[in-house]
Amino acid sequence: MGNLVAIVGRPNVGKSTLFNRLTKSRQAIVSDEAGTTRDRQYGKCEWNGREFSVVDTGGWVVNSDDVFEEEIRKQVVIATEEADLVLFLCDIKNGVTDWDMDVAQILRRSKLPIVLVANKADDNRDLYGQYDFYKLGLGDPFCISAATGSGTGDLLDHILEVLPEKQTDELEEGIPRFAVVGRPNAGKSSLINAFIGEDRHIVTDIAGTTRDSIYTRYDKFGFDFYLVDTAGIRRKNKVTEDLEFYSVMRSIRAIENSDVCILMIDATRGIEAQDMNIFQLIQKNSKSLVVVVNKWDLVEDKSQAVISTFEDAIRSRMAPFRDFPIIFASALTKQRIFKVLETAKDVYLSRKIKIGTSKLNEVMLPLIEATPPPSIKGKYIKIKYVSQVPDTQIPTFIFYANLPQYVKEPYKRFLENKIRENWKLTGSPINIFVRQK
């Protein structure tokens, strides 16, 4: 069960730069415009053999000056409710602002470990500024430069010291975990209630060891799985009026702790940016996916043409990953509810698929021969052999070639599609690696 660390602070104190430094990702676009990127606000950080998730709250701010500070304040509150540790980032060159004082007050009230970080300490002269930060009442500031990386090692050591140790779940191994995710009001609770029904006693609740995941063991009608349910356990705070950031923070844990994610989309609203944010979280964690278009009972025209249009729209938004089931259901009328469970079970099994090496080569090598990788600089690329790696989280295939560095993304996608055409891997992400023979 992973820990969640949230980075909070005013705009332009270097949240994205620190986020990139911790997650070692260079892909976030760092610019001075507030709220430049959205989907790159979540990643994993590994340090000394421990791993935790990092959320940069900076990407979720609506940029209009009057609500600006109010919005960030709301996010700070949500971050303290959802995370295991908060990194409070300030700018050592600017010193303490009134806004920093306000936020410090919110943070002091929370029961979480708070780590105060003074960023932009680029040279030793800047260090004189650190004494100003003691008035925030949050202990010693860590002086770092996220841009150059100085001081970040000590910071990470400290984070690991104060992060609560992972507890192990009391869950049985080998039983799939399904998480129902989606934006607020897409019908997650109704779906969970439709599954569980009033027969609450058949279902055993095991309180999750993280602060808010509850596992519900569901074993009837030939099914046996855990529902990872994160909704409705803690009081809904006044801040959460359908805040996008809130639903993303809530989804992170559910997604990380599951095998299969059931993504609920509201049929009356279509796919929105928030659905895409949650989909990207599912992808980043390599989880299997079932898409449920809920509230189908409210749609007037249920013709095949409408269904096809809807399906195409969903698949094209989520490309290049297109091989996942889409179910049109209604949690309210319980229409196709069991189909959702059956499909989730199938998707889980396809995640566990084992393909024999001889069979794999028998099918794939002729296909590769018919469509070899395009030659680069007059060099011919030969793929001689393929095998599946045993005991991986998701199905992983290695293709052995003479010049692996020349096999590019489009060709890997071609290989993936051919594997999907020949074996049932619907809903499961797969890894394709090309290695030197």
Side-chain angles (χ1 to χ4, degrees), residues 113-141:
I114 310 291
V115 179
L116 176 61
V117 183
N119 189 23
K120 306 194 185 177
D122 301 322
D123 60 38
N124 289 341
R125 280 175 308 213
D126 293 326
L127 296 177
Y128 293 120
Q130 67 178 309
Y131 303 108
D132 195 20
F133 291 95
Y134 281 97
K135 66 182 180 205
L136 292 173
L138 292 168
D140 298 330

Side-chain angles (χ1 to χ4, degrees), residues 7 13-24 30 54 56 87-89 117 119 144-147 152 155 159:
I7 305 176
V13 290
K15 293 191 292 292
S16 296
T17 315
L18 180 62
F19 172 81
N20 292 347
R21 171 79 48 197
L22 296 180
T23 57
K24 296 192 175 59
V30 182
V54 187
D56 166 14
L87 289 180
F88 179 28
L89 206 56
V117 183
N119 189 23
I144 68 160
S145 164
T152 47
L155 174 63
I159 290 175

Side-chain angles (χ1 to χ4, degrees), residues 104-265:
Q105 201 176 347
I106 300 174
L107 294 175
R108 284 197 305 268
R109 283 194 213 118
S110 82
K111 305 201 166 29
L112 282 189
I114 310 291
V115 179
L116 176 61
V117 183
N119 189 23
K120 306 194 185 177
D122 301 322
D123 60 38
N124 289 341
R125 280 175 308 213
D126 293 326
L127 296 177
Y128 293 120
Q130 67 178 309
Y131 303 108
D132 195 20
F133 291 95
Y134 281 97
K135 66 182 180 205
L136 292 173
L138 292 168
D140 298 330
F142 275 79
C143 299
I144 68 160
S145 164
T148 65
S150 91
T152 47
D154 295 344
L155 174 63
L156 279 163
D157 287 342
H158 181 68
I159 290 175
L160 292 190
E161 271 169 39
V162 290
L163 260 188
E165 274 291 340
K166 278 192 196 169
Q167 296 160 299
T168 47
D169 294 329
E170 310 146 18
L171 301 189
E172 276 180 50
E173 279 302 304
I175 294 179
R177 303 175 183 191
F178 299 162
V180 181
V181 293
R183 55 159 194 261
N185 304 332
K188 298 188 292 290
S189 321
S190 328
L191 183 70
I192 290 171
N193 290 342
F195 286 160
I196 295 169
E198 300 315 304
D199 322 308
R200 266 283 183 180
H201 58 274
I202 303 184
V203 175
T204 46
D205 279 351
I206 300 173
T209 41
T210 37
R211 303 177 34 202
D212 62 6
S213 288
I214 274 200
Y215 294 98
T216 305
R217 177 81 177 262
Y218 182 105
D219 45 2
K220 50 181 178 175
F221 307 123
F223 292 109
D224 190 3
F225 59 87
Y226 288 112
L227 266 176
V228 184
D229 177 9
T230 56
I233 290 147
R234 301 219 308 291
R235 59 187 171 74
K236 289 252 192 306
N237 202 303
K238 293 181 190 67
V239 260
T240 57
E241 302 108 36
D242 193 29
L243 217 54
E244 189 174 340
F245 174 64
Y246 178 71
S247 67
V248 170
M249 285 292 278
R250 289 244 85 155
S251 311
I252 287 175
R253 275 189 213 273
I255 291 169
E256 287 184 348
N257 299 336
S258 68
D259 299 307
V260 178
C261 296
I262 299 170
L263 175 59
M264 307 275 293
I265 291 177

Side-chain angles (χ1 to χ4, degrees), residues 46-50 157 160:
E46 216 176 282
W47 185 253
N48 285 348
R50 274 177 69 186
D157 287 342
L160 292 190

